[in-house]
Amino acid sequence: MSNKYSYPSLLLLSISLTLFFQSTNAGDLVIYWGQDNGDGALRDTCNTGLFNIVNIAFLSTFGSGRQPQLNLAGHCNPPNCKNLRDSINICQSRGIKVMLSIGGEDRNTYSFSSPEDANQLADYIWNNFLGGNSPSRPFGDAILDGVDFDIEGGSKLHYETLALKLNDHYKSSRKKFYLTAAPLCIFQDNILQKAINTGLFDYVWVQFYNSPGACNFVSNNPTSFKNSWSQWINSMSTKKVFVGLPASSSNAAPSGGFVEAQDLINQLLPIVKPSPKYGGVMLWNRRFDVTSGYSSKIKASV
Protein backbone atom coordinates (compact mmCIF):
# COMPACT_ATOMS: atom_id res chain seq x y z
CA MET A 1 0.00 0.00 0.00
CA SER A 2 1.42 3.43 -0.89
CA ASN A 3 1.85 6.17 1.67
CA LYS A 4 -0.99 8.71 1.55
CA TYR A 5 1.38 11.68 2.12
CA SER A 6 4.48 12.54 0.10
CA TYR A 7 7.74 13.54 1.78
CA PRO A 8 7.45 17.22 0.69
CA SER A 9 3.94 17.34 2.11
CA LEU A 10 5.12 15.92 5.42
CA LEU A 11 7.99 18.38 5.51
CA LEU A 12 5.66 21.32 4.90
CA LEU A 13 3.30 20.02 7.57
CA SER A 14 6.16 19.75 10.05
CA ILE A 15 7.34 23.29 9.30
CA SER A 16 3.79 24.61 9.61
CA LEU A 17 3.26 22.91 12.95
CA THR A 18 6.58 24.26 14.23
CA LEU A 19 5.71 27.81 13.20
CA PHE A 20 2.25 27.44 14.72
CA PHE A 21 3.72 26.23 18.00
CA GLN A 22 6.23 29.07 18.10
CA SER A 23 3.58 31.70 17.41
CA THR A 24 1.17 30.32 20.01
CA ASN A 25 3.89 30.05 22.67
CA ALA A 26 4.76 33.73 22.52
CA GLY A 27 6.03 35.08 25.82
CA ASP A 28 5.76 38.33 27.73
CA LEU A 29 8.48 40.91 28.30
CA VAL A 30 8.97 42.16 31.85
CA ILE A 31 11.04 45.17 32.96
CA TYR A 32 12.15 46.58 36.31
CA TRP A 33 11.69 50.34 36.61
CA GLY A 34 12.53 52.82 39.36
CA GLN A 35 16.17 52.44 40.35
CA ASP A 36 17.70 55.20 38.21
CA ASN A 37 16.64 58.49 36.66
CA GLY A 38 17.92 57.06 33.39
CA ASP A 39 14.82 54.85 33.40
CA GLY A 40 12.85 57.78 32.03
CA ALA A 41 9.23 58.34 32.99
CA LEU A 42 7.08 55.35 33.90
CA ARG A 43 4.43 56.34 31.37
CA ASP A 44 7.07 56.54 28.65
CA THR A 45 8.25 53.04 29.51
CA CYS A 46 4.72 51.75 29.04
CA ASN A 47 4.07 53.81 25.93
CA THR A 48 6.92 52.06 24.10
CA GLY A 49 4.59 49.11 23.64
CA LEU A 50 7.46 46.76 24.46
CA PHE A 51 6.48 45.52 27.91
CA ASN A 52 3.66 43.43 29.33
CA ILE A 53 4.62 43.79 33.00
CA VAL A 54 6.47 46.60 34.81
CA ASN A 55 7.89 46.05 38.28
CA ILE A 56 8.20 49.26 40.30
CA ALA A 57 11.39 48.78 42.32
CA PHE A 58 11.66 48.82 45.29
CA LEU A 59 9.91 48.77 48.62
CA SER A 60 13.40 48.28 49.94
CA THR A 61 12.99 48.68 53.70
CA PHE A 62 10.67 46.58 55.82
CA GLY A 63 10.38 44.17 58.73
CA SER A 64 12.11 43.68 62.08
CA GLY A 65 10.86 46.99 63.45
CA ARG A 66 11.65 49.03 60.31
CA GLN A 67 9.07 51.38 58.85
CA PRO A 68 8.29 50.22 55.29
CA GLN A 69 9.94 52.59 52.85
CA LEU A 70 10.09 53.03 49.09
CA ASN A 71 13.35 53.76 47.30
CA LEU A 72 12.66 54.99 43.76
CA ALA A 73 15.98 56.73 43.13
CA GLY A 74 14.74 60.25 42.53
CA HIS A 75 11.54 59.46 40.61
CA CYS A 76 9.57 60.76 43.58
CA ASN A 77 10.04 61.82 47.19
CA PRO A 78 8.77 58.89 49.30
CA PRO A 79 6.40 58.48 50.92
CA ASN A 80 4.72 61.05 48.67
CA CYS A 81 4.83 59.54 45.19
CA LYS A 82 1.42 60.62 44.02
CA ASN A 83 3.06 62.05 40.90
CA LEU A 84 3.24 58.46 39.65
CA ARG A 85 -0.51 57.85 39.95
CA ASP A 86 -1.37 58.97 36.42
CA SER A 87 1.52 57.01 34.92
CA ILE A 88 0.36 53.84 36.68
CA ASN A 89 -3.16 54.36 35.37
CA ILE A 90 -1.85 54.95 31.84
CA CYS A 91 0.17 51.73 31.96
CA GLN A 92 -2.81 49.73 33.19
CA SER A 93 -5.08 51.26 30.55
CA ARG A 94 -2.72 49.73 27.97
CA GLY A 95 -3.19 46.30 29.54
CA ILE A 96 0.19 46.38 31.29
CA LYS A 97 0.42 44.92 34.77
CA VAL A 98 2.21 47.19 37.25
CA MET A 99 3.69 45.41 40.26
CA LEU A 100 5.28 46.56 43.50
CA SER A 101 8.65 44.87 43.87
CA ILE A 102 9.91 44.38 47.40
CA GLY A 103 13.49 43.74 48.51
CA GLY A 104 16.30 44.45 46.10
CA GLU A 105 20.06 44.37 46.22
CA ASP A 106 20.49 46.09 49.60
CA ARG A 107 19.77 42.96 51.62
CA ASN A 108 20.59 44.67 54.93
CA THR A 109 17.41 46.75 54.88
CA TYR A 110 14.82 43.99 55.02
CA SER A 111 14.01 40.87 57.03
CA PHE A 112 11.27 39.45 59.24
CA SER A 113 11.57 38.73 62.93
CA SER A 114 8.42 36.60 63.17
CA PRO A 115 5.37 35.37 61.23
CA GLU A 116 3.38 38.27 62.72
CA ASP A 117 5.97 40.66 61.32
CA ALA A 118 5.35 39.24 57.84
CA ASN A 119 1.58 39.44 58.32
CA GLN A 120 1.87 43.10 59.28
CA LEU A 121 3.78 43.88 56.09
CA ALA A 122 1.13 42.09 54.05
CA ASP A 123 -1.54 44.27 55.65
CA TYR A 124 0.54 47.39 55.02
CA ILE A 125 1.06 46.55 51.33
CA TRP A 126 -2.59 45.66 50.82
CA ASN A 127 -3.83 48.89 52.39
CA ASN A 128 -1.24 51.23 50.85
CA PHE A 129 -0.66 49.82 47.35
CA LEU A 130 -3.37 47.30 46.48
CA GLY A 131 -7.07 46.90 47.24
CA GLY A 132 -7.24 48.17 50.80
CA ASN A 133 -7.62 51.64 52.26
CA SER A 134 -5.20 54.01 53.95
CA PRO A 135 -4.92 57.80 54.27
CA SER A 136 -1.23 57.56 53.36
CA ARG A 137 -1.20 55.66 50.06
CA PRO A 138 2.09 56.64 48.33
CA PHE A 139 0.60 56.40 44.82
CA GLY A 140 -2.71 57.95 45.75
CA ASP A 141 -5.74 56.01 44.55
CA ALA A 142 -3.78 54.01 41.97
CA ILE A 143 -4.17 50.28 42.62
CA LEU A 144 -1.20 48.14 41.64
CA ASP A 145 -1.64 44.64 40.23
CA GLY A 146 0.30 42.70 42.81
CA VAL A 147 3.57 42.11 44.62
CA ASP A 148 6.92 40.92 43.29
CA PHE A 149 9.39 39.25 45.69
CA ASP A 150 12.96 40.24 44.75
CA ILE A 151 14.66 38.90 47.86
CA GLU A 152 18.38 38.62 47.23
CA GLY A 153 19.84 37.94 50.66
CA GLY A 154 19.45 38.04 54.38
CA SER A 155 17.20 35.76 56.36
CA LYS A 156 15.01 33.22 54.54
CA LEU A 157 12.38 33.25 57.25
CA HIS A 158 8.67 34.00 56.86
CA TYR A 159 8.38 34.93 53.16
CA GLU A 160 5.93 32.04 52.78
CA THR A 161 3.88 33.68 55.55
CA LEU A 162 3.90 36.95 53.63
CA ALA A 163 2.69 35.17 50.47
CA LEU A 164 -0.10 33.37 52.33
CA LYS A 165 -1.33 36.55 54.01
CA LEU A 166 -1.26 38.52 50.77
CA ASN A 167 -3.23 35.73 49.13
CA ASP A 168 -5.83 35.96 51.91
CA HIS A 169 -6.28 39.62 51.02
CA TYR A 170 -6.38 38.81 47.30
CA LYS A 171 -9.25 36.36 47.83
CA SER A 172 -11.36 39.15 49.34
CA SER A 173 -11.31 41.15 46.10
CA ARG A 174 -13.04 40.79 42.74
CA LYS A 175 -9.95 42.20 41.05
CA LYS A 176 -7.27 39.70 40.13
CA PHE A 177 -4.02 40.40 42.00
CA TYR A 178 -0.74 38.64 41.27
CA LEU A 179 2.20 37.21 43.17
CA THR A 180 5.53 37.05 41.35
CA ALA A 181 9.10 36.30 42.38
CA ALA A 182 12.64 36.86 41.11
CA PRO A 183 14.77 34.15 42.74
CA LEU A 184 18.45 33.75 42.01
CA CYS A 185 19.01 30.89 39.57
CA ILE A 186 20.89 28.59 41.95
CA PHE A 187 18.04 26.22 42.72
CA GLN A 188 19.29 24.46 45.82
CA ASP A 189 18.55 26.13 49.14
CA ASN A 190 17.04 29.18 47.47
CA ILE A 191 15.94 32.03 49.73
CA LEU A 192 12.44 32.03 48.24
CA GLN A 193 12.02 28.26 48.00
CA LYS A 194 9.45 27.95 50.80
CA ALA A 195 7.44 30.89 49.51
CA ILE A 196 7.37 29.59 45.94
CA ASN A 197 6.47 26.10 47.19
CA THR A 198 3.17 27.49 48.51
CA GLY A 199 1.98 27.26 44.89
CA LEU A 200 0.55 30.79 45.10
CA PHE A 201 2.91 32.49 42.66
CA ASP A 202 1.59 33.27 39.21
CA TYR A 203 4.94 34.04 37.61
CA VAL A 204 8.55 33.38 38.58
CA TRP A 205 11.29 35.23 36.69
CA VAL A 206 14.51 33.45 37.55
CA GLN A 207 17.63 35.63 37.63
CA PHE A 208 19.97 33.78 35.25
CA TYR A 209 22.78 36.24 35.93
CA ASN A 210 25.38 37.08 38.55
CA SER A 211 25.93 33.33 39.04
CA PRO A 212 29.07 32.52 36.99
CA GLY A 213 29.82 28.83 36.66
CA ALA A 214 26.44 27.90 38.14
CA CYS A 215 23.54 28.77 35.85
CA ASN A 216 24.40 31.79 33.69
CA PHE A 217 23.79 31.09 29.99
CA VAL A 218 27.04 30.59 28.07
CA SER A 219 26.59 30.29 24.30
CA ASN A 220 29.41 27.80 23.72
CA ASN A 221 28.43 25.63 26.69
CA PRO A 222 24.79 26.03 27.76
CA THR A 223 24.67 22.82 29.84
CA SER A 224 24.52 24.53 33.24
CA PHE A 225 21.75 26.82 32.04
CA LYS A 226 19.78 23.89 30.58
CA ASN A 227 20.06 21.93 33.82
CA SER A 228 18.98 24.89 35.93
CA TRP A 229 16.04 25.71 33.63
CA SER A 230 14.90 22.09 33.81
CA GLN A 231 14.99 22.16 37.61
CA TRP A 232 12.93 25.33 37.79
CA ILE A 233 10.19 24.24 35.38
CA ASN A 234 9.91 20.70 36.74
CA SER A 235 9.98 21.43 40.46
CA MET A 236 7.30 24.09 40.91
CA SER A 237 3.56 24.44 40.48
CA THR A 238 4.04 28.03 39.27
CA LYS A 239 2.03 28.71 36.12
CA LYS A 240 4.81 30.44 34.16
CA VAL A 241 8.58 30.66 34.48
CA PHE A 242 10.54 33.49 32.83
CA VAL A 243 14.21 33.85 31.90
CA GLY A 244 15.63 36.81 33.81
CA LEU A 245 18.55 38.60 32.12
CA PRO A 246 20.48 41.87 32.33
CA ALA A 247 19.49 44.34 29.61
CA SER A 248 23.07 45.42 28.91
CA SER A 249 26.62 44.12 29.00
CA SER A 250 27.64 47.31 30.81
CA ASN A 251 27.28 47.10 34.62
CA ALA A 252 23.75 45.64 34.61
CA ALA A 253 25.11 42.40 36.07
CA PRO A 254 28.59 42.79 37.60
CA SER A 255 29.11 39.02 37.79
CA GLY A 256 27.97 38.30 34.26
CA GLY A 257 24.98 36.80 32.53
CA PHE A 258 24.38 39.19 29.63
CA VAL A 259 23.29 37.31 26.51
CA GLU A 260 23.73 38.94 23.11
CA ALA A 261 20.40 39.43 21.34
CA GLN A 262 21.20 37.01 18.53
CA ASP A 263 22.40 34.35 20.99
CA LEU A 264 19.15 34.76 22.88
CA ILE A 265 17.08 34.41 19.72
CA ASN A 266 19.05 31.60 18.08
CA GLN A 267 20.24 29.55 21.07
CA LEU A 268 18.56 30.35 24.38
CA LEU A 269 14.93 30.74 23.34
CA PRO A 270 14.87 27.40 21.44
CA ILE A 271 15.85 25.74 24.74
CA VAL A 272 13.10 27.32 26.85
CA LYS A 273 10.17 27.97 24.51
CA PRO A 274 9.11 24.33 24.02
CA SER A 275 8.05 24.16 27.67
CA PRO A 276 4.38 24.96 28.32
CA LYS A 277 5.61 26.74 31.45
CA TYR A 278 7.67 29.22 29.44
CA GLY A 279 6.41 32.70 30.26
CA GLY A 280 8.83 35.08 28.56
CA VAL A 281 11.85 37.19 29.43
CA MET A 282 12.46 39.54 32.36
CA LEU A 283 15.03 42.34 32.02
CA TRP A 284 17.03 44.21 34.63
CA ASN A 285 16.51 47.15 34.24
CA ARG A 286 14.94 49.97 32.23
CA ARG A 287 17.95 52.32 32.42
CA PHE A 288 20.24 49.72 30.90
CA ASP A 289 17.58 48.86 28.36
CA VAL A 290 17.24 52.51 27.30
CA THR A 291 20.98 52.57 26.64
CA SER A 292 21.24 49.22 24.85
CA GLY A 293 17.89 49.00 23.06
CA TYR A 294 17.88 45.34 24.05
CA SER A 295 14.13 44.93 24.49
CA SER A 296 13.37 46.23 21.00
CA LYS A 297 15.92 43.77 19.55
CA ILE A 298 14.31 40.72 21.16
CA LYS A 299 10.61 41.65 21.51
CA ALA A 300 9.46 39.97 18.29
CA SER A 301 11.15 36.69 19.22
CA VAL A 302 10.20 36.43 22.89
Side-chain angles (χ1 to χ4, degrees), residues 177-194:
F177 290 98
Y178 295 83
L179 282 176
T180 67
L184 305 178
C185 61
I186 299 173
F187 186 81
Q188 294 82 4
D189 203 29
N190 196 280
I191 294 170
L192 287 172
Q193 190 168 6
K194 282 188 176 181

Side-chain angles (χ1 to χ4, degrees), residues 23 252 299:
S23 65
K299 173 68 173 177

Side-chain angles (χ1 to χ4, degrees), residues 130-244:
L130 303 177
N133 294 290
S134 168
S136 58
R137 292 175 66 93
F139 302 139
D141 59 6
I143 299 173
L144 301 184
D145 292 290
V147 181
D148 173 61
F149 289 38
D150 184 11
I151 308 303
E152 300 191 19
S155 171
K156 305 173 186 178
L157 297 178
H158 310 307
Y159 288 103
E160 72 279 9
T161 303
L162 177 63
L164 288 164
K165 184 63 173 179
L166 284 169
N167 187 62
D168 286 344
H169 284 301
Y170 288 8
K171 289 187 293 186
S172 70
S173 174
R174 293 183 180 180
K175 174 181 167 65
K176 166 67 177 174
F177 290 98
Y178 295 83
L179 282 176
T180 67
L184 305 178
C185 61
I186 299 173
F187 186 81
Q188 294 82 4
D189 203 29
N190 196 280
I191 294 170
L192 287 172
Q193 190 168 6
K194 282 188 176 181
I196 293 171
N197 284 345
T198 62
L200 297 174
F201 285 76
D202 299 280
Y203 311 131
V204 171
W205 20 82
V206 183
Q207 296 184 41
F208 286 103
Y209 51 94
N210 285 334
S211 298
C215 35
N216 287 3
F217 178 84
V218 180
S219 60
N220 61 4
N221 184 13
T223 302
S224 294
F225 171 82
K226 285 182 179 179
N227 291 340
S228 182
W229 173 257
S230 179
Q231 281 186 304
W232 281 104
I233 62 173
N234 291 319
S235 302
M236 297 186 303
S237 59
T238 301
K239 299 180 184 71
K240 293 293 182 181
V241 182
F242 292 62
V243 178

Side-chain angles (χ1 to χ4, degrees), residues 59-77:
L59 185 74
S60 60
T61 300
F62 57 81
S64 301
R66 306 177 186 94
Q67 177 66 28
Q69 184 173 334
L70 286 167
N71 175 358
L72 296 180
H75 287 288
C76 63
N77 187 24

